[in-house]
Amino acid sequence: MINITFKDGNQKTFDQGVTVEAIAKSISSSLKKNSVAGYVNEELYDLNRPIEVDAEVEIITKDDDKAIEVLNHSTAHLMAQAVKRLYPDAKFGVGPAIKDGFYYDIATDHKISEEDLPKIEQEMRRIIKEQTNMEREELSKEEALERFKDDPYKIELINDLDDGEIISIYTQGEFVDLCRGGHVGNTRHIKHFKLLSVAGAYWRGDSDRDMLQRIYGTSWFTKDALDNHLEILKERKERDHRKLGKQLRIFDIYKEAGQGLAFWLPNGYTIRRALEDYVYKLERKAGYQHISTPVLGSKSLYQISGHWDHYRDNMFPVMKQDDEEFVLRPMSCPHHMLVYRSELRSYRDLPIRYAEIVTQHRYEASGSLSGLERVRAMTLTDSHIFVRKDQIKQEVLAAYNLILQAIKDLGLDIDYIELALRDSEKGKFHPNDALWDEAEALLKELLDEEGIEHTVMTGEAAFYGPKIDIQVRTAMDHVITMSTVQLDFLLPERFDLTYIGQDGEKHRPVVIHRGLISTWERLMSILLEQYKGAFPTWLAPTQIKLIPVNNEAHGEYAKLLQDRFIDEDFRSETDIREEKLGYKIRETQTQKIPYALVLGDHEVENQTVTYRKYGQKEQVTVPLEEFIRLIRKDIREKSLSNN
Ligand code: TSB
Ligand code: ZN
């Protein structure tokens, strides 16, 4: 007999070899039904793994977060078994549970396509019906190497384990897999799953090694939960900026031109220019001065700033010409430091706020590139603000509030605010602890004083100082940084920046780096996803589409309106193609154009327009002048009524 202690302190004795499932059953049949796995002395146990000694047991039920992971991991095994049956040459890499799903990496001569997935699912269902147990066995390293001698990937994984570590394997019918464990014990517990996609994945993420085929899937405890998740995935796909950007002709990326280099197409570039106008105006009102500096900088400039020491991995290599060495700038801060230093500054001059829409280049790993979200050539709504120490808080706050204003004007959702601090990782951060302590304390204080809710992240600071990042969630459920305010005591020192104080002495200013609404590239990815491609009128590339019912009879009126709209600075186009009216109207919907105007006899006679607003069913007829007032108001107020 063994003694089992539960979390609440209750104790019970069982036969040696009792399973989590049996323990659950002894408590209640509903608990048995809901049990998925267990923690036995804090080790994750399969539902059917025998417990041999006295232990503390915590039963994991379907409601626990861990349960969905166990289920998905078990489903990965099930899938591997099915794949092996269908493609007997298959060898397996790793097959973990991931957020809301699982994957398994597979090496087989058969090129797995999306069309194969239903076949694999069918085989999985067959194995579920067979009610196959997932049996655990523990082996020594030698035994394990012998067992998997035909499987080079598993051999490599086994060899990587520490000597003396217990190696567990799982037998599931004819299929054997190397695994730490945490399974539902029998394939019959797996019910509601779907295989989603196939992608290439390098063995161990190393591009010099074999390319395996990775099948993604998802598994749930109820049909409702599965359906709900599939609906979310479908929605996500539709919102994915890479898809929308192509469909709406916003941007494109051409392999021939290079990875991570985005091209702005006419629609995208129109939006970008509207955003540019907006940013310049917003910053002028907030006391910023605009400057423009070169995309190249000398290597020595980046040695002075510290980028060369701490940021080189993100920089493209040096270009040598004559006896000069240049780099493509990854940031503009050094340039702005030079502009500050070019004049004698007095305490009365501060704060000085230099803003620039900065084109810069960063070497980002090819695997991390993702549409417009992470690129290698980018243009940032940047600023460097030079302040006295007594001005830090007020200026950080002003920069932060300006960011909030811009985000509000754009109607964007923030996920959370992050305070990014340094950690002890060598080389990543400048080593002057005193400067770090002061800067970090200041930002913390400010966030607390202002009652700004935030999450603290260590190790995410810039190399020159801590930052407040404004995070958003992408359609693919990644969190990315949109806006940033960064406090920097370092660069002023490295560039020996000074101002003359009231006391007539030289003092050191402090720099605030501010990214207003990210780079145009990342911002566009966020806008596309959050607007689902339907831009508010003030940003829409085409705001108004004019559709004469009959070119001959109504074309002249269309031309009159078109000219009038151009005078009003509205972006309007006339569709005179030989297409059916219904087709033209439908197209304005797929192109997500805010206003579609159908012009017929009635409109010509009465000098009216009949318009249909994007996403609305009904048509409205109003006098021309009233329509013009309506559009002006829509643009001026940056109304979000298309969303
Ligand atoms: C704010 N020197 C500061 C600047 O003064 C700076 O460059 N900070 S940064 O490194 O955090 O970058 C600013 C913003 O650029 C980020 O917050 C992010 O929104 C955007 N960004 C960074 N890397 C990329 C990339 N690879 N692709 C697209 N946008 C990016
Ligand atoms: Zn900067």
Side-chain angles (χ1 to χ4, degrees), residues 17 31 47 98 100 157 244 257 279 308 380 385 390 394 418 433 459 477 488-489 499 534 579:
L31 186 59
L47 212 48
I98 53 176
D100 299 333
L157 294 176
L244 284 170
V279 166
W308 186 254
L380 175 66
I385 304 161
D390 63 280
Q394 104 206 18
E418 179 175 299
D433 278 330
D477 211 20
D488 177 4
F489 288 74
Y499 66 89
E579 297 283 359

Side-chain angles (χ1 to χ4, degrees), residues 609-623:
V609 302
T610 297
Y611 70 88
R612 191 172 143 179
K613 189 89 202 285
Y614 174 77
Q616 289 176 8
K617 287 234 153 48
E618 68 277 18
Q619 302 205 352
V620 186
T621 303
V622 291

Side-chain angles (χ1 to χ4, degrees), residues 352-371:
I352 293 173
R353 308 179 191 89
Y354 288 136
E356 178 175 358
I357 296 189
V358 167
T359 296
Q360 58 192 26
H361 295 79
R362 294 183 183 178
Y363 170 76
E364 302 276 9
S366 60
S368 73
L369 301 172
S370 167

Side-chain angles (χ1 to χ4, degrees), residues 333 382 384 464 513:
C333 346
D382 202 357
H384 296 95
Y464 44 73
H513 305 239

Side-chain angles (χ1 to χ4, degrees), residues 311 331 333 360 362 364 372-375 378 380 382-384 464 467 481-482 484 486 513-515 518-519 522:
Y311 202 72
M331 295 187 194
C333 346
Q360 58 192 26
R362 294 183 183 178
E364 302 276 9
L372 284 181
E373 209 170 288
R374 189 172 296 280
V375 290
M378 65 201 84
L380 175 66
D382 202 357
S383 167
H384 296 95
Y464 44 73
K467 48 186 188 153
T481 301
M482 176 161 59
T484 184
Q486 313 171 343
H513 305 239
R514 182 231 58 187
S518 191
T519 52
R522 180 169 292 185

Side-chain angles (χ1 to χ4, degrees), residues 547-563:
I547 308 173
V549 175
N550 175 314
N551 286 339
E552 245 156 71
H554 315 118
E556 201 181 319
Y557 186 53
K559 174 81 176 99
L560 184 119
L561 293 195
Q562 171 76 6
D563 287 351

